Amino acid sequence: MSGQPPGTPVPGSAGTAPSTGGGGMNLPPQTQQQQPGNAGSATAGTGGAAGGGGAMGAISPQNLNSIVIEYLCKKGYSRTEAMLRIESSATDKEGRPIINRAEDAGGEKYMRAFILLRVWIEQSLDIYKPEYKRLLWPIFVYSFLNLAEEFYPRECEAFFNKFKDLFVADHEDDIRKLSPIYLPEHATENEIAQLYRTHKYRITLTSVAYFNLVQFLEAKDKEGGTVLINVLQRCCEIKTVDRGPSERHSLAALLSKNDEEEDSLGQEDGIPGHRSGPSTTGDTAATLPKLRLGQMPMEPELMGDVQGDLEDEDAQKPPAAGQPSLVEVFQQSIKREEDEEAPLRTDLPLPPSKARDVAMEVLKVKENRDRYKLDGRTGGVGPGVSVTMFTFHNTFDSINCLDFSQDNLLVAAGTSDSYIRVWTLDGRALKPSIAPGPHEPPPSNSRRLIGHSSDVYAVSFSPSVYSPDPLPAGVTTHPQYLLSCSADKTIRLWSLDTWTCLVVYKGHMNPVWDITWGPYGHYFVTGSNDKTAQLWSTDHITSLRIFAGHDQDVDVVCFHPNSGYVFTGSCDKTVRMWSVTTGNSVRLFSGHKGNITSLACSPDGKLLASADDAGAILLWDLAPSKILKRMRGHGKGGIWSLSWSVESTILVSGGADGTVRVWDVRFPTGEAAAQQGRVVSEGGTGTTLNAGGATAGPNTTGTGVAGAGTAGSGAKKKGKDVVITPDQISAFPTKKSAVYKVHFTRKNLILAGGAYLP
């Protein structure tokens, strides 16, 4: 043994581990750990060096776990040893934990779960796919919000960008508003996120579909089923319904429905009061409020007076051979007794009838008998209709709205210069009810109504009827009043006898977009930028009802023919039906992909037509609250006016694309049913588009042009191509005049008006 003190390294051997042979000294472990030359740098040897600190760098995590477990076993730490054995069994060779369940995958669990659900839906039977696809949107939204609130910003952004394109077409607004969210504070400050967080998303599934879904999620609990179950339980409210032979979910109905209805929602699906997806129909028809869509019974005294006058008319002018008498027509058209299908007169108070009301009812019966009857397609060919187009020149784009009087003698225009102008359609001078004074100008064919302080957005004539024969003294059937609404937040009632403003109604907080009279002339309804519609009567200065429920502006309004209901259309892409007696929303129609621009209810009270700025017209069946079909043909820019024929079989529309189009509301049959529509070019060219691509002559101002058949493509191509569905009967293009108003008269002639915009 050399004389070196313990702990002193052998010269020339620093940094190397001593061997067991030779004259080298084997130092104890404590001494080896204190020597910097040996710490972490010794190579594995045999003997004592194998347990030294230098050997630890070459030991794998699994070997290290074994060594620690062996140590704990020797020391008697049984609980710690058992816990370590359990945890170490779930790690890979590199010591990373092995994830066996999707819920343990952190932020990736929602991605895995969503993919799992989507793949399963695509592999499901076609009969259940429409129901299951309705699950994807709420699962997407709530998974995205969970990622943001659980502070997974990268996973949140990746999840949103990967799947958002699946929903942009139907939920564009919500996708845009949710896109900035990646952190918890973003979700807290976002209005749409809070809407989804504070409400459960309603989903309607048939019983069999719900059973299959639960069975699948339980079988795939480790792959993501548990994650999906948690989201559905916490954030969704699933209602199950039984499948029936007459329901929308019956086998026959599902197999026969169109592709464009495949992703439709139930009436009660979604967040209450918020609709961002397509809609419609029929899933919960049994729970919908029953509607009274029938004709309101006529007042007994009025009925007796009208029948007496009609009997006198038949006696003076007997009907021609084969023509029914006026009394027979009247008996067929009126409702005598109250029943469950019609509103009660006590529910909708109206002022007592006068001699004017008797005269108007008599004239309506005459027009109904002598009208040009439109019964829809005959042998696949649509009926020929005539359109008289009134074009306003030199307007410099100042006209905002138009309306024709029901006696077809007057037209009113609201302008951006804050005044209203009324013209006679035949060019004759307006007849003053009071003789003009010596200093007043002679009568002309137009008058200005000045009073609003901002743009006039809508005008509406009170009900009237044309009278070809002189009436008794003091009795008139021409329009007595005109309503107007403006950006100055007011509604004005104008007298067409004195040409003065009678009343200024104030109630809306923001500009008023639309206004219309009720069928009986006593009530009227308005829609505003303040997201409400209001019901008014001429004898009250304040509104009678406030209809609140839309998420955005109420842009268009209209009445049901029996005056018991009001329809409102909004830029939230939904249409609502309100009860006048209760003020409650009784129907919600969602399915448009653009802002609602026009509404019209059929004269029989059973159907509603709604149009949007994407160029689509949707036809709704009111009682079951279901969509019947979607009609396309207009270009984008807005369909600004709709009107029904007397028989409720033909619909006419006009809009920004400069065309007047006539539609058959009945479902096409035979070859037309299989036709998906043809592609034609947008834009007016001054020619009538007829079947087979044939063209007719130009449609000039103030002259009628008749057309029949479906629209063709004989005109020179202009602008973007659009698809025309086989429902279209005729199309009448203008030169360069946007069509502001179309109007079916009581004799089934069409009036249209617009401004020439070169």
Side-chain angles (χ1 to χ4, degrees):
M1 179 180 292
S2 62
Q4 294 175 340
T8 305
V10 179
S13 63
T16 61
S19 64
T20 57
M25 180 181 293
N26 288 331
L27 300 178
Q30 303 92 309
T31 308
Q32 292 183 16
Q33 292 176 1
Q34 293 174 0
Q35 298 183 28
N38 292 336
S41 61
T43 58
T46 60
M56 298 296 291
I59 298 177
S60 66
Q62 287 184 335
N63 292 336
L64 180 60
N65 288 340
S66 300
I67 293 172
V68 175
I69 289 173
E70 183 179 357
Y71 173 78
L72 295 174
C73 182
K74 289 181 180 180
K75 293 294 185 180
Y77 300 129
S78 57
R79 293 185 180 178
T80 308
E81 175 196 356
M83 185 63 67
L84 182 57
R85 286 183 183 276
I86 294 174
E87 293 182 356
S88 61
S89 64
T91 58
D92 58 13
K93 295 181 179 181
E94 301 298 329
R96 293 188 296 265
I98 299 174
I99 300 175
N100 294 321
R101 302 180 64 87
E103 58 263 35
D104 299 331
E108 295 183 2
K109 61 183 179 182
Y110 296 106
M111 180 87 71
R112 296 184 183 183
F114 190 85
I115 293 175
L116 175 72
L117 179 63
R118 186 184 174 197
V119 171
W120 178 72
I121 290 175
E122 293 300 327
Q123 296 174 352
S124 300
L125 295 176
D126 290 342
I127 193 174
Y128 297 120
K129 278 186 181 180
E131 298 181 67
Y132 291 142
K133 285 183 177 181
R134 300 205 298 267
L135 295 167
L136 291 176
W137 170 248
I139 294 294
F140 169 79
V141 172
Y142 289 112
S143 298
F144 170 70
L145 295 178
N146 287 343
L147 285 170
E149 293 178 358
E150 294 172 12
F151 204 80
Y152 291 107
R154 293 184 180 179
E155 292 84 351
C156 181
E157 183 176 3
F159 180 85
F160 186 82
N161 293 333
K162 184 177 180 65
F163 300 116
K164 67 177 182 179
D165 292 338
L166 299 174
F167 310 103
V168 167
D170 297 330
H171 304 271
E172 181 181 0
D173 291 342
D174 283 3
I175 288 291
R176 185 180 65 255
K177 294 176 182 178
L178 292 173
S179 59
I181 299 177
Y182 298 114
L183 296 173
E185 51 268 29
H186 297 164
T188 304
E189 299 171 356
N190 189 280
E191 179 183 357
I192 294 298
Q194 288 304 305
L195 178 67
Y196 280 92
R197 271 296 175 224
T198 55
H199 295 82
K200 284 192 173 184
Y201 195 96
R202 297 177 180 176
I203 305 172
T204 304
L205 297 177
T206 58
S207 300
V208 178
Y210 178 72
F211 174 79
N212 293 338
L213 173 65
V214 174
Q215 191 176 38
F216 164 74
L217 296 179
E218 290 178 348
K220 298 289 184 179
D221 60 334
K222 293 184 179 180
E223 291 87 342
T226 303
V227 176
L228 294 171
I229 290 176
N230 290 337
V231 173
L232 290 174
Q233 287 180 341
R234 292 173 49 202
C235 306
C236 298
E237 178 183 343
I238 299 179
K239 179 180 179 180
T240 59
V241 295
D242 293 329
R243 188 187 303 277
S246 62
E247 295 177 359
R248 175 178 168 268
H249 285 306
S250 65
L251 180 61
L254 289 170
L255 293 179
S256 62
K257 68 181 178 180
N258 297 329
D259 292 338
E260 65 184 6
E261 298 178 48
E262 186 172 307
D263 296 328
S264 63
L265 291 175
Q267 174 69 21
E268 299 298 327
D269 283 5
I271 300 292
H274 175 74
R275 305 291 278 195
S276 65
S279 133
T280 56
T281 64
D283 292 292
T284 56
T287 63
L288 295 174
K290 186 177 180 180
L291 302 179
R292 295 176 176 266
L293 302 178
Q295 180 183 359
M296 180 181 292
M298 185 176 291
E299 184 181 354
E301 294 182 2
L302 176 62
M303 184 188 305
D305 293 341
V306 172
Q307 185 162 346
D309 286 0
L310 292 176
E311 291 173 353
D312 295 340
E313 289 284 342
D314 286 334
Q316 296 176 4
K317 298 179 181 179
Q323 187 181 40
S325 66
L326 294 176
V327 175
E328 292 175 347
V329 174
F330 178 66
Q331 295 291 344
Q332 294 174 0
S333 62
I334 65 170
K335 181 178 287 293
R336 292 177 171 273
E337 298 178 357
E338 297 179 347
D339 57 30
E340 295 182 354
E341 300 299 325
L344 304 177
R345 294 192 62 85
T346 56
D347 294 338
L348 195 67
L350 292 171
S353 58
K354 301 179 181 179
R356 169 186 169 88
D357 300 313
V358 176
M360 290 180 63
E361 292 297 331
V362 170
L363 293 172
K364 287 179 183 179
V365 173
K366 291 182 179 179
E367 289 185 339
N368 186 36
R369 185 188 67 175
D370 301 336
R371 75 183 188 277
Y372 175 64
K373 295 178 175 57
L374 298 175
D375 295 326
R377 295 176 185 266
T378 303
V381 178
V385 294
S386 296
V387 179
T388 301
M389 177 73 185
F390 294 89
T391 304
F392 295 80
H393 295 273
N394 303 320
T395 64
F396 304 103
D397 200 18
S398 63
I399 292 182
N400 294 330
C401 56
L402 290 175
D403 190 39
F404 294 103
S405 63
Q406 294 179 9
D407 64 354
N408 311 318
L409 294 178
L410 300 176
V411 61
T415 69
S416 58
D417 297 325
S418 73
Y419 68 86
I420 303 159
R421 190 160 186 172
V422 181
W423 289 269
T424 57
L425 292 178
D426 56 7
R428 299 179 182 177
L430 289 166
K431 296 180 181 179
S433 58
I434 302 175
H439 302 290
E440 296 184 9
S444 66
N445 68 340
S446 68
R447 291 291 295 261
R448 284 192 181 188
L449 301 175
I450 300 174
H452 284 291
S453 59
S454 189
D455 296 28
V456 179
Y457 289 128
V459 290
S460 180
F461 283 103
S462 62
S464 59
V465 185
Y466 173 69
S467 176
D469 301 321
L471 295 172
V475 178
T476 61
T477 59
H478 68 269
Q480 293 180 310
Y481 306 106
L482 178 72
L483 284 169
S484 63
C485 61
S486 169
D488 62 11
K489 312 176 189 178
T490 66
I491 303 109
R492 287 180 178 263
L493 178 67
W494 306 85
S495 170
L496 298 183
D497 292 328
T498 61
W499 301 100
T500 57
C501 179
L502 301 179
V503 187
V504 178
Y505 301 95
K506 297 180 180 179
H508 286 288
M509 304 300 294
N510 291 325
V512 186
W513 299 131
D514 197 19
I515 190 169
T516 187
W517 282 97
Y520 302 103
H522 181 65
Y523 298 98
F524 61 93
V525 65
T526 57
S528 170
N529 175 253
D530 60 13
K531 306 180 184 180
T532 69
Q534 296 189 24
L535 179 74
W536 309 75
S537 67
T538 53
D539 56 355
H540 285 72
I541 194 64
T542 58
S543 61
L544 306 178
R545 294 281 188 274
I546 297 179
F547 305 115
H550 283 288
D551 295 334
Q552 300 294 333
D553 302 19
V554 177
D555 295 322
V556 288
V557 294
C558 78
F559 268 95
H560 189 272
N562 65 17
S563 197
Y565 301 97
V566 166
F567 300 94
T568 57
S570 169
C571 52
D572 64 6
K573 304 177 184 177
T574 65
V575 178
R576 286 181 179 266
M577 182 179 183
W578 308 84
S579 170
V580 169
T581 56
T582 65
N584 296 329
S585 176
V586 294
R587 292 292 187 273
L588 173 62
F589 306 102
S590 171
H592 282 280
K593 296 185 178 180
N595 302 329
I596 312 300
T597 54
S598 184
L599 296 172
C601 188
S602 62
D604 62 9
K606 298 178 180 179
L607 304 177
L608 175 71
S610 58
D612 58 33
D613 58 6
I617 301 173
L618 271 62
L619 198 65
W620 309 89
D621 191 348
L622 295 178
S625 181
K626 98 175 168 179
I627 187 172
L628 295 179
K629 60 179 176 178
R630 185 187 304 264
M631 301 183 290
R632 295 186 297 269
H634 279 280
K636 291 186 178 180
I639 300 172
W640 293 338
S641 184
L642 298 170
S643 184
W644 289 84
S645 66
V646 176
E647 299 84 2
S648 302
T649 58
I650 305 297
L651 183 72
V652 63
S653 61
D657 63 349
T659 63
V660 176
R661 298 179 186 265
V662 184
W663 308 88
D664 186 357
V665 300
R666 297 176 180 176
F667 283 88
T669 57
E671 296 180 358
Q675 183 182 359
Q676 296 300 318
R678 67 181 66 190
V679 178
V680 299
S681 59
E682 272 189 37
T685 59
T687 56
T688 303
L689 306 178
N690 294 325
T695 58
N699 186 11
T700 57
T701 302
T703 50
V705 179
T710 45
S713 54
K716 183 178 178 181
K717 184 174 180 179
K718 279 190 178 182
K720 173 179 182 184
D721 287 344
V722 295
V723 175
I724 293 182
T725 56
D727 315 279
Q728 180 174 298
I729 296 174
S730 304
F732 300 90
T734 62
K735 291 288 185 181
K736 291 183 179 179
S737 301
V739 181
Y740 295 167
K741 183 71 176 181
V742 291
H743 171 62
F744 251 119
T745 70
R746 293 191 181 94
K747 289 191 175 182
N748 279 335
L749 303 177
I750 300 174
L751 303 180
Y756 180 69
L757 304 174

